[in-house]
């Protein structure tokens, strides 16, 4: 077996290429804010450690008759779990910027006989709902995919009813928002941390609008 040994210009080009690759990978990891495309939807069906349905229930605390908003439902992993808990008098609104994702969720809901899920195609930075519409709102591994997440949090304060709650779930991937960053953004948006569950790399956090911000 022969080995190629790079020296002089060849070595410099190899090092430059490696550095460029590292920079590109870093830019992709830290700078990519695009949502997962529909073609990669199977990844969204994977149950992430620390973001289990039971954990979401504990932090979100859904109740029958409530109206709840889910932003970025993906393929409906959380939607199909939360909607039945709201009962026939409750309603789960699912909002996404990708129509393919909403269609996928609604097909799955129909197969399960769930009639209390309503899809909305929109940008989460400008929620198309009146003030005080929802009892609760949640985003699981979605907030970090949206440019200007602080605008989403501000909109959450606006559309939540008095005493409403916002739950954000994050997992360590290329779109994630570390908890410290989320806490600072939430404070600046008028949200008060009420509960947190999980670890440094996977967490669920519940916030309530501060009285002055509600």
């Amino acid at each position: 077996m022969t080995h190629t040994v790079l020296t002089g210009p060849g070595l410099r080009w190899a090092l430059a290429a490696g550095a460029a690759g590292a920079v590109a990978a870093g830019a992709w990891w830290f700078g990519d804010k695009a949502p997962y495309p529909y073609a990669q939807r199977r990844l969204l069906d994977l149950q992430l450690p620390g973001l289990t349905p039971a954990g979401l229930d504990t932090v979100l605390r859904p109740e029958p008759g409530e109206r709840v908003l889910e932003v970025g439902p993906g393929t409906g992993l959380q939607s199909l779990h939360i909607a039945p808990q709201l009962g026939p008098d409750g309603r789960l609104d699912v909002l996404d910027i990708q129509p393919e994702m909403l269609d996928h969720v609604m097909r799955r809901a129909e197969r399960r006989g769930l009639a209390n899920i309503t899809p909305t195609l929109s940008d989460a930075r400008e929620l198309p709902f009146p003030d005080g519409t929802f009892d609760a709102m949640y985003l699981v591994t979605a907030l970090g995919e949206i440019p200007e997440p602080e605008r989403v949090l501000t909109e959450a304060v606006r559309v939540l009813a008095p005493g409403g709650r916002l739950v954000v779930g994050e997992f360590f991937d290329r779109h994630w928002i570390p908890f410290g960053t989320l806490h600072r953004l939430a404070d600046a948006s008028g949200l008060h941390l009420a509960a947190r569950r999980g670890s440094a790399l996977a967490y669920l956090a519940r916030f309530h609008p501060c009285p002055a911000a509600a």
Side-chain angles (χ1 to χ4, degrees):
M1 178 181 295
T2 60
H3 299 272
T4 301
V5 178
L6 296 176
T7 59
L11 178 59
R12 288 194 294 272
W13 276 108
L15 292 174
V23 170
W28 170 79
W29 180 271
F30 292 106
D32 175 25
K33 294 296 180 183
Y36 279 102
Y38 184 68
Q40 298 179 17
R41 62 190 178 277
R42 295 187 185 280
L43 295 174
L44 302 177
D45 281 330
L46 299 176
Q47 183 62 66
L48 298 174
L51 301 179
T52 63
L56 180 59
D57 289 346
T58 298
V59 181
L60 181 63
R61 300 185 302 186
E63 295 288 341
E66 289 189 321
R67 186 171 178 185
V68 177
L69 172 62
E70 178 182 6
V71 172
T75 57
L77 186 64
Q78 286 79 33
S79 314
L80 302 177
H81 174 74
I82 295 298
Q85 300 181 61
L86 304 179
D89 296 326
R91 171 170 159 178
L92 177 66
D93 290 76
V94 291
L95 182 143
D96 205 294
I97 201 168
Q98 297 185 80
E100 300 88 351
M101 291 296 190
L102 293 174
D103 291 343
H104 191 100
V105 173
M106 297 311 295
R107 287 194 300 270
R108 294 183 71 181
E110 183 178 6
R111 288 196 296 269
R112 296 198 182 190
L114 294 173
N116 64 341
I117 300 180
T118 301
T120 297
L121 181 67
S122 184
D123 190 325
R125 296 171 295 182
E126 297 181 7
L127 296 175
F129 305 107
D131 295 1
T133 298
F134 298 100
D135 298 294
M137 171 177 165
Y138 67 95
L139 309 90
V140 177
T141 66
L143 185 61
E145 298 181 359
I146 305 171
E148 303 172 294
E150 64 278 4
R151 290 180 58 186
V152 181
L153 298 177
T154 299
E155 280 288 88
V157 172
R158 182 183 67 79
V159 301
L160 284 173
R165 54 208 189 273
L166 169 70
V167 171
V168 177
E170 287 290 320
F171 180 81
F172 183 69
D173 65 5
R174 72 180 190 269
H175 294 135
W176 96 303
I177 296 180
F179 177 73
T181 301
L182 174 64
H183 200 174
R184 289 193 296 274
L185 292 175
D187 282 346
S189 300
L191 288 159
H192 170 71
L193 178 66
R196 179 189 172 190
R197 174 191 177 101
S199 66
L201 300 182
Y203 64 84
L204 288 156
R206 185 176 72 246
F207 299 89
H208 298 277
C210 299

